[in-house]
Amino acid sequence: MSNNRPILLVEDNPDDEALALHAFSKNQITNPVVVVHDGAEALDYLFGTGSFAGNSGPLPAVVLLDLKLPRIDGLEVLRHIRADSRTTLLPVVVLTTSRESLDLQQAYNLGANSYVRKPVDFERFVQVIGLLACYWLEVNESSDASTRNGY
């Protein structure tokens, strides 16, 4: 992939994390992948706080955000991302197993760029990850405001 900014994967399920990492590899996605396991860690990474204090690297090219997370749920993470001028334009793809229409509606109301249900079938999951990566890393044109941390 031509865009070498990291991908932020926010996933608390170890099996889904392993599947996603395998799918990145199988699709020859060479971007670094940062994995965090709950909403608080995701916000720490994005805003350079907590265990990521001093993180001043580039913002991720895209955030793949699960909804049902410990500590701070995905919708609240999305709310924080959109409320801060440093991350308001950051591409966020909700990647979830949730079939709740309310989750879908709330995610879009809060500014999600996309809402994707995790396919149960492994091959389809690999294909979906490849399509997401191709679009967000190669096709999509990022705003300058979504490429730099303001720390």
Side-chain angles (χ1 to χ4, degrees), residues 45 54-59 147-149 151:
Y45 178 80
N55 177 22
S56 61
L59 285 172
T147 61
R148 292 182 235 128
N149 278 340
Y151 310 124

Side-chain angles (χ1 to χ4, degrees), residues 63-68 74-75 78 92-119 128 132 136:
V63 176
L64 301 179
L65 178 65
D66 193 11
L67 289 184
K68 307 303 181 198
L75 291 173
L78 182 56
V92 177
V93 174
V94 172
L95 185 61
T96 184
T97 57
S98 175
R99 298 210 171 272
E100 298 292 324
S101 60
L102 183 58
D103 285 342
L104 180 121
Q105 182 180 357
Q106 286 182 310
Y108 279 121
N109 285 341
L110 291 170
N113 297 92
S114 187
Y115 189 100
V116 177
R117 288 193 181 97
K118 295 175 190 170
V128 166
L132 287 172
W136 289 107

Side-chain angles (χ1 to χ4, degrees), residues 1-7 24 28-34 61 137:
M1 302 281 160
S2 58
N3 172 345
N4 201 35
R5 288 174 33 220
I7 297 166
F24 290 135
Q28 300 175 345
I29 298 162
T30 59
N31 294 63
V33 179
V34 176
L137 301 176

Side-chain angles (χ1 to χ4, degrees), residues 16-28 122 126 129:
D16 288 348
E17 174 187 340
L19 280 174
L21 294 174
H22 181 74
F24 290 135
S25 175
K26 193 161 173 116
N27 282 289
Q28 300 175 345
F122 173 73
V126 169
I129 291 294

Side-chain angles (χ1 to χ4, degrees), residues 2-3 5 60-62 89-91 113 132-147:
S2 58
N3 172 345
R5 288 174 33 220
V62 63
L89 298 176
L90 181 63
N113 297 92
L132 287 172
C134 180
Y135 178 76
W136 289 107
L137 301 176
E138 289 190 356
V139 176
N140 184 61
E141 293 288 333
S142 293
S143 162
D144 283 345
S146 70
T147 61

